[in-house]
Amino acid sequence: MTSEGIEKLIRPGLANFVGYAASKSPETLVGKVEVPIEEIIKLDANENPYGCSPRVNAALATYPDLNIYPDSGQTELRELLQEYTGVSSEHIVAGAGSDQLIDLILRLFIEPGDEVINCVPTFAMFRFFMGLHPGILVEVPRDDNFAVRVNAVKAAITKKTKIILLATPNNPTGTIIPRREILEILDTGLPVVVDEAYYEFYGETVAPLVGQYENLIVLRTFSKWAGLAGLRIGYGMFPPKIADFLLRIKEPYGVNVAALVAVRESLKDRDYLMEKVKVIIAERERLFEELKKLKWLKPFPSQANFIFCSVLNGKASELQQKLQKKGVLVRYFDQPLLQNSLRISVGKPEHTDTLIRVLRELEGEING
Ligand SMILES: Cc1ncc(COP(=O)(O)O)c(C=O)c1O
């Protein structure tokens, strides 16, 4: 069979699947940036600039049982997460990043023709996974300040609606959905997924309602606040029957033993990690003020660990390329609902200083 022949056997539904535009790994930029790779400032993936708890590194360095599969039932992990969230373990399932849980939820609920409501612009992985599943993505645009329009969400509901996806704080805009609006959407009775990946930077949650609502799912991650993006560990809180089912359909060993060790140690070092979260929040506010001073950028207030910014003069794509050349990585968007804009993760104070200095240097080139 020729290679063209085998290509024809791919599911037709995937013919136009473009994949996810993931952030760049610094090692792939050798020769493309003017600074040594170690000096690249990575503000493009909402990672934690302070890294993980030192307790995690120490525990992983001496972990003896890498030859043993993890506990498929996640017993210890779910108990640790119960203690952290205050939500009992029967509600909890962990995944290899909360990304994996989004996939599992869609696998559990979505049949051909089912509709999923998505409040755009939002986290691109929602659309990514819907591209792999047989359902239909119904996109409800947010308002000009990127707030969810609850009435529009309700108006989009049909007999085929299976799930409503909400992210708060939202990526890439940093905007939140007020609790009363989440409750209003929950009152539709449809399964509602509330993605709280940035909860620790915001402080408000609907997790305690998981026991009261049969239709509420809350997703969280250790990637952001605990600096464990590279280990892939997230979790969700579900109605117990759904949690049971997810434990059945998930791959048995998807969450690795290093992730379990990392959660155990991170939760012992909560004060240290939350101190860093506080520092990031303070830096977010400083970065916002600094960006505002550049009259050609319009930063939006954020409750997460990044700032979304419209580029008022010049092209965001060009700006992103020029920043990259100088060793500062940020994300750019240029799509119908995210025109000419950047998303900048909050780094350390010295990262903000470099970013602002380079932006000022580029000002003439970009605006001219
Ligand atoms: C809103 C949102 N949900 C989920 C995730 C994925 O997190 P994880 O690393 O746990 O897969 C992200 C990561 O950027 C995010 O922004």
Side-chain angles (χ1 to χ4, degrees):
M1 191 181 282
T2 64
S3 60
E4 206 182 64
I6 201 164
E7 217 175 287
K8 280 193 196 136
L9 300 181
I10 292 173
R11 281 163 49 197
L14 286 184
N16 297 320
F17 191 73
V18 286
Y20 181 73
S23 63
K24 292 219 175 65
S25 296
E27 63 271 22
T28 65
L29 293 172
V30 179
K32 295 182 187 152
V33 290
E34 292 170 4
V35 301
I37 294 304
E38 318 73 68
E39 286 175 25
I40 284 181
I41 297 175
K42 206 169 173 313
L43 307 178
D44 62 341
N46 304 339
E47 291 146 333
N48 191 321
Y50 296 98
C52 64
S53 152
R55 291 188 66 120
V56 172
N57 298 112
L60 288 179
T62 56
Y63 183 75
D65 295 326
L66 289 178
N67 56 324
I68 305 297
Y69 284 109
D71 165 23
S72 155
Q74 306 177 340
T75 316
E76 182 188 348
L77 195 46
R78 294 168 77 209
E79 272 163 22
L80 288 167
L81 294 169
Q82 163 177 307
E83 190 268 322
Y84 178 57
T85 60
V87 172
S88 84
S89 62
E90 60 178 354
H91 293 277
I92 299 174
V93 180
S98 50
D99 280 350
Q100 191 187 42
L101 293 164
I102 299 166
D103 187 24
L104 282 175
I105 292 164
L106 297 177
R107 280 197 219 186
L108 191 62
F109 286 102
I110 302 305
E111 287 198 299
D114 286 346
E115 293 175 0
V116 173
I117 293 179
N118 196 25
C119 302
V120 289
T122 188
F123 184 40
M125 289 300 285
F126 295 155
R127 184 186 288 160
F128 169 91
F129 281 124
M130 281 302 290
L132 295 175
H133 290 279
I136 299 161
L137 194 60
V138 176
E139 301 198 315
V140 178
R142 291 161 177 259
D143 72 12
D144 289 345
N145 290 315
F146 302 117
V148 166
R149 295 182 304 131
V150 177
N151 286 339
V153 169
K154 288 206 223 162
I157 293 171
T158 72
K159 280 195 208 107
K160 291 180 179 166
T161 307
K162 265 282 178 72
I163 295 180
I164 300 173
L165 298 172
L166 302 173
T168 181
N170 186 44
N171 177 6
T173 60
T175 32
I176 56 106
I177 309 172
R179 184 188 170 88
R180 62 171 192 291
E181 294 186 1
I182 298 175
L183 296 183
E184 204 180 326
I185 295 172
L186 275 170
D187 284 340
T188 63
L190 286 162
V192 178
V193 175
V194 181
D195 183 336
E196 295 186 350
Y198 302 95
Y199 154 66
E200 283 81 0
F201 300 95
Y202 170 43
E204 287 192 25
T205 176
V206 289
L209 301 180
V210 163
Q212 293 166 40
Y213 283 82
E214 274 259 307
N215 57 331
L216 173 60
I217 293 172
V218 180
L219 300 182
R220 300 257 191 93
T221 181
F222 277 68
S223 294
K224 314 297 177 180
W225 75 284
L228 292 175
L231 273 183
R232 314 303 303 123
I233 176 73
Y235 60 99
M237 292 160 273
F238 307 86
K241 282 186 189 145
I242 299 301
D244 274 353
F245 240 101
L246 289 170
L247 287 170
R248 265 186 259 171
I249 69 163
K250 76 173 179 59
E251 49 193 290
Y253 310 123
V255 177
N256 65 56
V257 288
L260 165 62
V261 171
V263 167
R264 199 192 281 150
E265 297 304 319
S266 299
L267 293 181
K268 282 187 208 153
D269 218 3
R270 221 170 296 182
D271 291 347
Y272 167 89
L273 290 169
M274 286 312 288
E275 240 350 277
K276 298 292 184 223
V277 165
K278 269 200 210 154
V279 172
I280 293 169
I281 292 171
E283 190 58 20
R284 175 184 75 203
E285 298 314 305
R286 187 173 84 92
L287 174 61
F288 181 83
E289 291 306 321
E290 290 298 320
L291 290 168
K292 218 165 65 175
K293 286 184 202 159
L294 302 171
K295 299 288 180 230
W296 48 290
L297 295 178
K298 183 188 172 204
F300 285 73
S302 167
Q303 300 296 320
N305 65 343
F306 55 83
I307 290 181
F308 181 80
C309 215
S310 291
V311 179
L312 305 176
N313 204 349
K315 281 191 84 175
S317 55
E318 237 173 77
L319 184 55
Q320 182 267 337
Q321 280 297 313
K322 286 181 190 287
L323 282 168
Q324 177 173 305
K325 214 151 196 224
K326 301 277 179 200
V328 183
L329 309 187
V330 299
R331 196 84 182 206
Y332 91 91
F333 303 93
D334 203 6
Q335 330 158 356
L337 294 170
L338 285 174
Q339 278 172 9
N340 210 34
S341 46
L342 299 179
R343 188 197 66 199
I344 305 171
S345 309
V346 179
K348 294 179 177 175
E350 58 266 36
H351 299 157
T352 303
D353 293 344
T354 304
L355 168 79
I356 297 296
R357 177 178 52 74
V358 176
L359 283 172
R360 286 190 188 285
E361 283 167 16
L362 293 174
E363 199 167 304
E365 285 178 48
I366 292 294
N367 297 352

